[in-house]
């Protein structure tokens, strides 16, 4: 397999991963907005934080999350 092909496959896999993480963040945000009184709210908030950290780490490994904590 050529190096270019591997690079394209790695890029495509990264894009799929970022898309899945984005969808997960949107679902968690929706759950938090619509079910604030749920006993799972704290778990969703923690999961959202962890998912966002992973997304930002993949997008820019040396960067920082530009969104203030708790948003």
């Amino acid at each position: 397999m050529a190096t270019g092909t591997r690079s394209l496959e790695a890029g495509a896999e990264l894009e799929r991963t970022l898309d899945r993480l984005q969808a997960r963040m949107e679902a968690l945000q929706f759950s938090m907005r619509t079910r604030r009184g749920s006993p799972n709210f704290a778990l969703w908030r923690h999961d959202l934080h962890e998912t966002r950290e992973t997304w930002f780490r993949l997008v820019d490994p040396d960067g920082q999350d530009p969104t203030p904590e708790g948003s």
Side-chain angles (χ1 to χ4, degrees), residues 55-69:
W55 190 90
F56 280 107
R57 200 171 24 253
L58 289 172
V59 169
D60 186 11
D62 298 324
Q64 292 185 331
D65 181 347
T67 308
E69 182 67 29

Side-chain angles (χ1 to χ4, degrees), residues 3-65:
T3 302
T5 303
R6 271 188 251 145
S7 177
L8 286 174
E9 287 176 3
E13 181 60 31
L14 176 61
E15 284 299 315
R16 286 190 295 273
T17 299
L18 291 173
D19 287 346
R20 285 192 300 270
L21 289 170
Q22 181 69 36
R24 181 173 183 80
M25 287 188 291
E26 290 171 6
L28 288 165
Q29 289 168 337
F30 177 78
S31 293
M32 291 171 65
R33 277 193 309 271
T34 58
R35 297 184 215 135
R36 287 199 177 271
S38 171
N40 292 323
F41 187 84
L43 178 63
W44 292 332
R45 185 179 177 112
H46 176 76
D47 196 11
L48 177 60
H49 176 76
E50 294 292 318
T51 303
R52 288 180 70 243
E53 280 187 357
T54 301
W55 190 90
F56 280 107
R57 200 171 24 253
L58 289 172
V59 169
D60 186 11
D62 298 324
Q64 292 185 331
D65 181 347

